[in-house]
Amino acid sequence: MNGIMTGVNYHPHDWEESRWPIDIDLMKKANIKVVRLGHLCWDSFQPEENRYTFDWFDRVIELFNEAKIKVILDIPTRPAPLWLHRKFPAIDICDRNGIRQNPVFRYMEDVGDPNFQKYALEFASALVKRYGHHPALLGFGLCNEIGSGYISYSASAQARFIQWLKKKYETVERLNRAWARQRWSRRLSSFEDVTLPVSGLAIGAPECILDMRRFYSDELGEYMVRLNQVVKSFDNTIPTSSNHWSENPEVGFDYLKYYRKFVDYPGIGFYPGGNPEDRKSVSSACLNIDHRIGEHDNPMWALEFQTGTFGGFACPDKVMRMYAYLSLIHRNQIVCGWTWRSMYGGEEQYLFGLLDHSGVPSKKYYEFKQIGDEFKMLNKMGLFPRKTKPQIAIAYSFESRVVTDYAKSYYRSGFLTQIQEVYYSLYVRNLDCNIVDLRNMTKEYKLLIIPGIALIDPQS
């Protein structure tokens, strides 16, 4: 795909159908060329098991097709619908005490649960078959914010963890050695002695915690690969992206281990913050872009882009436009505002969009229109999306982040702090860099920086 585009996130199931043409007309006037649809609404497509309701979305996507606005269709397998939670209670999250939690907030499902994945992938397949060849389709988004939410300490997760350990270590003797179980009289006599190393008030030794986080990471990474396979098995030419949240400190996953297997165009939610003077916040958002790109040759798709702030109406005037250009410098291709219209209710009614709650365009709409007009002009010059061949690389380590977060009293400057400092020193000098995986580097560099690595495997 050539050129750069502005877009928005739109939630048609939130609004009356009579409103859809009004919004689409406003989008056209603002030079919006792409819309992200479908995310966070599994039960709008499948209100109960074995029943799909695609008719409303058929009408939506056709309206955008008539308006010549392309669609990125998110495959919304999270949050799981309540009917699926009722059918399979093992999907529910269990807290550190093993107590089941009601799904009162988004992302309260155990993505690694086999029943969740069975139904989620069946739903994904139905969605892809329905819209995979629609003329409005630009590509599929592989769910929303995988990597955020909660770790489940359930009996089901523990059983899966044991199987993961058996595959990795093969014998309990090897597991005992790897976990130093001679310490504190904690030898395992069989794999069945294994428990999740988190229990109520206490957490286990770092080796156990690291393997547990590797296990959860593998479940999420492999799930992303399976979602991508659903799309590619239907039509291998359909582009995929993903607004995952692999960097999430509570859950997250080892993105660089898996990214080559599940994205054609790396995706991100670009939120540099409401204060452009906070240079560390802004540079950290750019670090996330470069982390998502890795060593990929395709540009970034900012599937979400900051239009408001948490509880604040807007960034200062023209800052949104400045952020759009900043993202272009970091190899972005699509600026997709979150969100089109401020929501009446729900968890993000405080996160303001381009239109006010009333549906009336705010000053931000006109600033976004200016971005769209300027992108249209820039496309005539053929300069973007920007292609770079960085000569500098920074090594990223999911595992070092886990270890330094675990032992903060020992690693007084954690991995994340160190990589942010190194990146910032390049950022202020306008030096391009790639964020790389030492286990699998494919390009050559003049300078490789390895900050804050707390442990390293033989392959690296």
Side-chain angles (χ1 to χ4, degrees), residues 297-404:
D297 291 324
N298 282 344
M300 170 65 59
W301 287 1
L303 298 174
E304 293 183 17
F305 174 86
Q306 185 162 359
T307 61
T309 63
F310 293 100
F313 177 69
C315 299
D317 288 352
K318 303 301 179 184
V319 167
M320 186 167 59
R321 177 168 166 257
M322 182 187 79
Y323 286 162
Y325 280 97
L326 179 63
S327 78
L328 293 188
I329 292 171
H330 290 271
R331 298 175 278 184
N332 187 31
Q333 183 172 31
I334 296 176
V335 172
C336 212
W338 184 276
T339 186
W340 172 249
R341 179 174 172 180
S342 304
M343 301 168 199
Y344 283 151
E347 295 159 19
E348 289 197 342
Q349 58 189 288
Y350 51 81
L351 221 170
F352 293 86
L354 298 177
L355 273 61
D356 291 335
H357 295 88
S358 61
V360 175
S362 71
K363 65 177 183 179
K364 291 182 292 181
Y365 167 85
Y366 297 101
E367 186 173 334
F368 210 77
K369 180 181 183 303
Q370 183 180 359
I371 298 169
D373 292 343
E374 292 172 356
F375 277 20
K376 183 178 180 181
M377 177 186 66
L378 287 172
N379 278 331
K380 296 177 182 178
M381 301 178 185
L383 299 174
F384 297 100
R386 184 167 175 253
K387 298 184 184 297
T388 64
K389 291 184 178 179
Q391 299 298 300
I392 302 172
I394 304 175
Y396 189 97
S397 171
F398 168 82
E399 296 186 353
S400 291
R401 181 170 180 179
V402 171
V403 168
T404 58

Side-chain angles (χ1 to χ4, degrees), residues 177-329:
R177 286 196 297 273
W179 283 9
R181 297 296 282 189
Q182 76 280 359
R183 299 294 299 164
W184 317 120
S185 189
R186 287 293 180 267
R187 284 186 175 89
L188 304 163
S189 59
S190 73
F191 280 102
E192 280 58 45
D193 287 343
V194 171
T195 61
L196 290 167
V198 173
S199 182
L201 298 176
I203 62 174
E207 297 87 353
C208 312
I209 293 294
L210 179 58
D211 262 343
M212 182 189 74
R213 292 294 299 275
R214 286 166 170 157
F215 154 69
Y216 285 117
S217 169
D218 283 348
E219 287 200 323
L220 294 179
E222 289 164 6
Y223 176 64
M224 298 299 289
V225 173
R226 291 185 190 110
L227 275 177
N228 186 57
Q229 288 170 344
V230 169
V231 177
K232 298 305 184 182
S233 63
F234 176 76
D235 186 337
N236 194 49
T237 67
I238 298 174
T240 56
S241 186
S242 175
N243 181 43
H244 57 84
W245 196 353
S246 60
E247 302 89 354
N248 185 282
E250 302 300 323
V251 185
F253 65 95
D254 194 348
Y255 170 71
L256 293 182
K257 181 179 178 180
Y258 286 100
Y259 78 107
R260 300 177 198 273
K261 300 178 182 178
F262 75 81
V263 290
D264 297 314
Y265 290 86
I268 197 169
F270 189 57
Y271 292 96
N275 178 13
E277 301 301 323
D278 184 352
R279 299 179 75 182
K280 290 296 180 70
S281 176
V282 176
S283 69
S284 293
C286 295
L287 168 61
N288 283 344
I289 285 187
D290 287 332
H291 174 233
R292 301 286 177 95
I293 290 177
E295 294 184 294
H296 216 301
D297 291 324
N298 282 344
M300 170 65 59
W301 287 1
L303 298 174
E304 293 183 17
F305 174 86
Q306 185 162 359
T307 61
T309 63
F310 293 100
F313 177 69
C315 299
D317 288 352
K318 303 301 179 184
V319 167
M320 186 167 59
R321 177 168 166 257
M322 182 187 79
Y323 286 162
Y325 280 97
L326 179 63
S327 78
L328 293 188
I329 292 171

Side-chain angles (χ1 to χ4, degrees), residues 410-444:
Y410 186 84
Y411 298 102
R412 308 226 171 165
S413 178
F415 171 76
L416 181 60
T417 298
Q418 294 201 43
I419 197 171
Q420 286 175 335
E421 291 293 335
V422 167
Y423 184 85
Y424 183 72
S425 69
L426 302 178
Y427 170 84
V428 295
R429 290 166 175 81
N430 297 315
L431 292 173
D432 292 321
C433 69
N434 278 345
I435 308 300
V436 300
D437 181 356
L438 289 176
R439 299 163 301 187
N440 186 18
M441 289 176 60
T442 61
K443 300 182 186 299
E444 294 185 352

